[in-house]
Amino acid sequence: KQEVTQIPAALSVPEGENLVLNCSFTDSAIYNLQWFRQDPGKGLTSLLLIQSSQREQTSGRLNASLDKSSGRSTLYIAASQPGDSATYLCAVRPDNAGNMLTFGGGTRLMVKP
Amino acid sequence: DAGVTQSPTHLIKTRGQHVTLRCSPISGHKSVSWYQQVLGQGPQFIFQYYEKEERGRGNFPDRFSARQFPNYSSELNVNALLLGDSALYLCASSLSPGLSGYTFGSGTRLTVV
C-alpha cells in the first residue's frame, strides 16, 4: 500500500527566504506526482505535475524535483512571500491500473512579513 | 472557461440523514473523482468514474455511492450520516483517468450534527 509522508508538517519562515518542502513515498512504481496548494477551507490548486520519466518541473518561483528510485520529491520555493502562506500537498498516482491519487498530510507554510 | 464546479458549497445535516453532493467537470473532461478531506489531513480517495462507469473505489463503507451522468457531471451520495462524515468533499476532473493531472473544485463543506 502506497504511503506518502510530508515533512515538516508546519513551517514558519520570514519573507524572502528560499525554502524546501519534502515529500516521500513508499512505492516507487508511480505514474506521476503532483504538487497542490490549498488555502484554508478551500479546494486544491495544482502547482506542478511531474511525470515519472521527468526529473523536475518549474513554474515561476517554484521548482519541483522527483527522484523516483529513492521515493522522494521536493518543492523549492524561491524568495518566499506572505502570499505563499498555505498548505502544500503532494500526491502520487500509481503506474498500475489504479487511478486514485494518494496524498501526503501536507505542509502548512506561514511566511511572515 | 469554467473550472470544476461543486454544489452546494456548505451544508449542515443531522446524523442519520442522507446527502447528495454535485460536481460538474471542466468541459471536455470525462473523468470525475471524489475525495474526502478531514480537517488537518490530506484528501482520501472515494470514487472515480470515467465514461459513466466506476473505475475505482477507495476504502469507504457502502453508505457512500456515486454516479456519473451522460454529460459527465457526477453525484456523490452518503446515507445514514455519521458525525465522522463531517469533512470537505472534493471533486476532481481529468481528461481521462491516465493521461493528465487532476483539476480540483473548491469542495463542499459538510457538517454533520
Side-chain angles (χ1 to χ4, degrees):
Chain A
K1 177 189 171 187
Q2 178 75 269
E3 292 184 2
V4 181
T5 304
Q6 291 187 246
I7 294 174
L11 181 64
S12 181
V13 301
E15 181 178 4
E17 269 204 9
N18 302 323
L19 56 100
V20 174
L21 308 181
N22 297 293
C23 171
S24 62
F25 45 95
T26 55
D27 186 348
S28 62
I30 66 169
Y31 187 83
N32 58 39
L33 182 145
Q34 200 164 356
W35 281 93
F36 296 90
R37 167 186 172 137
Q38 185 173 35
D39 292 293
K42 303 295 185 182
L44 307 183
T45 299
S46 179
L47 298 173
L48 291 164
L49 171 68
I50 310 178
Q51 302 294 346
S52 62
S53 58
Q54 297 175 320
R55 294 298 297 246
E56 65 179 300
Q57 283 286 333
T58 298
S59 176
R61 294 183 294 110
L62 304 180
N63 176 277
S65 68
L66 174 64
D67 184 343
K68 205 173 82 162
S69 61
S70 68
R72 294 185 181 186
S73 176
T74 61
L75 179 66
Y76 175 83
I77 302 177
S80 59
Q81 303 170 358
D84 295 330
S85 298
T87 295
Y88 291 81
L89 294 154
C90 71
V92 298
R93 180 181 172 269
D95 69 357
N96 54 20
N99 299 306
M100 56 179 279
L101 294 178
T102 301
F103 282 84
T107 294
R108 191 170 64 256
L109 173 66
M110 172 72 73
V111 181
K112 299 177 181 177
Chain B
D1 193 17
V4 179
T5 57
Q6 293 188 243
S7 63
T9 54
H10 299 83
L11 74 165
I12 300 174
K13 290 286 189 178
T14 304
R15 277 178 298 174
Q17 283 189 317
H18 163 271
V19 69
T20 297
L21 310 181
R22 295 177 174 83
C23 172
S24 293
I26 290 173
S27 178
H29 284 196
K30 299 180 179 180
S31 176
V32 171
S33 302
W34 288 94
Y35 288 79
Q36 180 197 65
Q37 187 178 24
V38 174
L39 195 63
Q41 298 181 17
Q44 297 288 319
F45 172 75
I46 310 176
F47 286 110
Q48 184 180 62
Y49 277 78
Y50 176 65
E51 293 281 15
K52 295 168 285 180
E53 291 188 2
E54 183 182 300
R55 289 297 189 94
R57 174 185 287 253
N59 189 24
F60 280 80
D62 292 343
R63 300 184 295 108
F64 288 76
S65 64
R67 56 179 175 168
Q68 187 176 34
F69 299 99
N71 66 353
Y72 304 111
S73 67
S74 177
E75 283 183 354
L76 175 69
N77 296 284
V78 187
N79 292 323
L81 284 167
L82 304 173
L83 295 179
D85 295 330
S86 296
L88 180 67
Y89 288 84
L90 295 163
C91 173
S93 78
S94 63
L95 282 169
S96 74
L99 296 180
S100 61
Y102 293 85
T103 302
F104 281 79
S106 298
T108 293
R109 171 70 63 187
L110 171 65
T111 302
V112 182
V113 298

